[in-house]
Amino acid sequence: MAGMHEYECPCCGGGLEFNSAVQKVKCPYCDTEFDMDVLKKVDEELKSVGEDDIDFDSTTGGEWKDGETADMKVYVCKSCGGEIVTDGTTGATKCPYCDNPVVMMGQFQGGLKPSRIIPFKKDKAAAKAAYLQHISGKKLLPPQFKDQNHIDEIKGVYVPFWLFDAQANAAYKYDATKVETSSDEDYTYKKTDYYSVYRQGTLKFKQVPCDSSTKMPDDLMDSIEPFDMKDAVEFQTAYLAGYLADKFDVSEEESMERATFRIKNSTEQAFLQTVKGFDTVDIKNSSLKTSDGKSEYVLLPVWILNTTYEGEKYTFAMNGQTGRMVGNLPCDKGLLKKYFFKYFAIGAAIGAVIGAIVMFMQ
Amino acid sequence: MYIVFGAIIVGLLVALIGTGALKSELHSVEKKTQANNYMVSGSLNVVGKNEIFLYSKIEKKEKPKSDN
């Protein structure tokens, strides 16, 4: 069972939050800052107290059908007593009534505990600025999207990822050709030499990431890569204060399939680059095995922004470490037509000049 | 004839390339199929390699002859 914990300020009792600017936990009410080591001791004390200290209430209503509440958890906020309903994977959130940040301690204990975390380096203001930059200068973006644009929600989320280390042991057989052309007075000759090419070897990969939350679209998370794991620190629940967090709900095995797919493609490309001096090279057979595999469960910082335009939801994501912002934008069909005809007119004018020159030369 | 033909072909090419580039600005989300960023630098170790010549093929094409 999961327990809930608020990091309360020892000075004023307010809910503490991790501040990305000072990289410390800070009270938003009295501005007192706390080192992470202090919060770590608080964590340890909390663990040593045991079950009796955990203040939560998990209930299932009698009216729910069988299995309907299997993936739902209900907590009671320690500050205001309000009920917080979450799904089974939520690890940190805010109380919807008093907005106090809360951490579901049980979600990150035992075998589920992440080994490392990259604390947020970019704050909410940076995410908003990056979003405005992202939508600026796009010629086909509907003007109404910018003018009427209100970001529905900006939330900082620690997304669970699996990182995989592996050595790829690969062997490839290629069909390759070398082509030479020559000519005499009467004929042109094309000589094609056919080769069988073989390559075998190894290639190492380190920390290939795969997001392990079904709530996060894989393509969105792929697009904000890379994260620099040099900034990763030992996991402490105190880092989650003030942000949302999920525990993984995609297994290591499922994630490994995605990582292996990426490793396979990159290995294929790397070995292909060692086949030089040919005009065409095609893979005939290949085999890939991985060894020295290692996985690590980590939490990585992501800002998620949601907006709605003409009834459709648009989701944007920003890497909370590097500030890389991504998100697909709508296309204005009227503007698309306008630019098509504009470019057609420019191209037609150039084409007419080229045509006139060709005609003149003949 | 050359002028009209040239205008249509080049016009269409410029319009398709131009609007294609503008549309691609709106698209920034894509599933990754490669792990190139995570290759350990210098770890590619080719332990077996060969290139065997199999055979040659020659194609002969007669040059067009002018009547003059």
Side-chain angles (χ1 to χ4, degrees), chain A residues 18-30:
Chain A
F18 180 76
N19 188 297
S20 60
V22 294
Q23 293 291 299
K24 286 179 179 177
V25 171
K26 189 174 177 180
C27 176
Y29 304 98
C30 67

Side-chain angles (χ1 to χ4, degrees), chain A residues 3-7 39-55 78 103-106 109 237:
Chain A
M4 198 175 73
H5 183 63
E6 285 174 31
Y7 286 93
L39 271 297
K40 192 179 179 182
K41 282 175 190 163
V42 172
D43 260 357
E44 281 161 7
E45 280 174 11
L46 192 73
K47 281 172 200 162
S48 67
V49 174
E51 287 287 313
D52 290 343
D53 190 45
I54 298 171
D55 182 14
K78 283 176 79 176
V103 178
M104 284 68 181
M105 301 295 278
Q109 283 173 355
T237 47

Side-chain angles (χ1 to χ4, degrees), chain A residues 318-358:
Chain A
M318 188 180 94
N319 184 318
Q321 180 192 29
T322 65
R324 179 176 165 74
M325 166 69 75
V326 298
N328 291 338
L329 293 162
C331 177
D332 188 313
K333 285 180 182 165
L335 285 173
L336 182 65
K337 273 185 199 164
K338 184 185 142 189
Y339 276 101
F340 184 88
F341 287 118
K342 187 179 170 183
Y343 289 144
F344 181 81
I346 295 167
I350 296 167
V353 172
I354 294 168
I357 293 167
V358 171

Side-chain angles (χ1 to χ4, degrees), chain A residues 77-96:
Chain A
C77 177
K78 283 176 79 176
S79 289
C80 71
E83 272 195 350
I84 305 170
V85 181
T86 70
D87 61 25
T89 59
T90 299
T93 187
K94 284 192 173 186
C95 172

Side-chain angles (χ1 to χ4, degrees), chain A residues 115-148:
Chain A
S115 61
R116 289 189 291 166
I117 184 170
I118 297 180
F120 272 89
K121 302 286 176 195
K122 304 287 179 185
D123 61 13
K124 192 183 254 189
K128 197 169 179 180
Y131 169 73
L132 293 174
Q133 175 71 26
H134 183 67
I135 63 169
S136 70
K138 306 281 193 293
K139 288 193 169 89
L140 296 184
L141 186 67
Q144 301 90 330
F145 187 87
K146 282 186 208 169
D147 300 341
Q148 301 165 10

Side-chain angles (χ1 to χ4, degrees), chain A residues 186 193-194 199-200 262 266, chain B residues 34-36 51 54 56 63:
Chain A
D186 300 319
D193 292 335
Y194 291 84
R199 293 286 184 274
Q200 189 203 338
R262 292 177 65 176
S266 289
Chain B
Q34 307 271 348
N36 295 3
E51 290 161 11
L54 299 174
S56 280
K63 282 183 173 175

Side-chain angles (χ1 to χ4, degrees), chain A residues 37-343:
Chain A
D37 289 343
V38 174
L39 271 297
K40 192 179 179 182
K41 282 175 190 163
V42 172
D43 260 357
E44 281 161 7
E45 280 174 11
L46 192 73
K47 281 172 200 162
S48 67
V49 174
E51 287 287 313
D52 290 343
D53 190 45
I54 298 171
D55 182 14
F56 71 93
D57 184 17
S58 181
T59 60
T60 52
E63 292 175 19
W64 294 102
K65 291 173 187 169
D66 282 350
E68 211 167 8
T69 55
D71 200 32
M72 186 186 288
K73 289 186 177 175
V74 181
Y75 302 88
V76 176
C77 177
K78 283 176 79 176
S79 289
C80 71
E83 272 195 350
I84 305 170
V85 181
T86 70
D87 61 25
T89 59
T90 299
T93 187
K94 284 192 173 186
C95 172
Y97 305 102
C98 67
D99 207 37
N100 256 7
V102 290
V103 178
M104 284 68 181
M105 301 295 278
Q107 300 287 51
F108 299 106
Q109 283 173 355
L112 305 173
K113 190 183 172 186
S115 61
R116 289 189 291 166
I117 184 170
I118 297 180
F120 272 89
K121 302 286 176 195
K122 304 287 179 185
D123 61 13
K124 192 183 254 189
K128 197 169 179 180
Y131 169 73
L132 293 174
Q133 175 71 26
H134 183 67
I135 63 169
S136 70
K138 306 281 193 293
K139 288 193 169 89
L140 296 184
L141 186 67
Q144 301 90 330
F145 187 87
K146 282 186 208 169
D147 300 341
Q148 301 165 10
N149 193 253
H150 300 290
I151 302 166
D152 299 337
E153 191 181 25
I154 304 180
K155 51 189 181 185
V157 187
Y158 279 109
V159 180
F161 276 76
W162 289 106
L163 302 180
F164 296 98
D165 291 359
Q167 176 173 287
N169 305 287
Y172 298 96
K173 212 169 175 185
Y174 308 91
D175 285 334
T177 63
K178 285 181 186 175
V179 180
E180 279 175 36
T181 53
S182 58
S183 64
D184 57 22
E185 261 183 36
D186 300 319
Y187 295 96
T188 54
Y189 301 91
K190 185 182 168 194
K191 184 185 172 217
T192 309
D193 292 335
Y194 291 84
Y195 290 82
S196 175
V197 178
Y198 177 75
R199 293 286 184 274
Q200 189 203 338
T202 58
L203 180 59
K204 285 180 184 168
F205 290 84
K206 201 164 173 59
Q207 293 165 346
V208 180
C210 278
D211 85 85
S212 54
S213 168
T214 50
K215 288 181 199 168
M216 292 292 167
D218 289 346
D219 54 358
L220 197 66
M221 293 299 100
D222 284 357
S223 302
I224 56 168
E225 288 178 16
F227 288 90
D228 187 353
M229 292 308 292
K230 281 178 191 158
D231 285 337
V233 294
E234 187 192 346
F235 175 75
Q236 288 180 46
T237 47
Y239 283 112
L240 308 182
Y243 298 98
L244 307 180
D246 289 322
K247 70 167 188 175
F248 74 89
D249 60 355
V250 178
S251 70
E252 188 181 345
E253 289 73 24
E254 281 176 76
S255 298
M256 200 183 292
E257 276 179 35
R258 278 194 62 217
T260 307
F261 173 72
R262 292 177 65 176
I263 286 171
K264 188 180 176 185
N265 288 338
S266 289
T267 306
E268 197 173 292
Q269 196 181 53
F271 276 85
L272 186 62
Q273 282 168 1
T274 69
V275 183
K276 290 173 182 165
F278 295 95
D279 295 301
T280 65
V281 181
D282 298 308
I283 293 178
K284 195 177 176 188
N285 300 111
S286 69
S287 81
L288 184 129
K289 285 176 189 166
T290 55
S291 60
D292 301 335
K294 210 173 82 180
S295 66
E296 186 182 6
Y297 174 36
V298 297
L299 293 183
L300 302 180
V302 180
W303 284 103
I304 297 289
L305 296 85
N306 288 311
T307 186
T308 312
Y309 175 69
E310 291 186 344
E312 203 172 326
K313 188 180 162 188
Y314 289 86
T315 302
F316 303 87
M318 188 180 94
N319 184 318
Q321 180 192 29
T322 65
R324 179 176 165 74
M325 166 69 75
V326 298
N328 291 338
L329 293 162
C331 177
D332 188 313
K333 285 180 182 165
L335 285 173
L336 182 65
K337 273 185 199 164
K338 184 185 142 189
Y339 276 101
F340 184 88
F341 287 118
K342 187 179 170 183
Y343 289 144

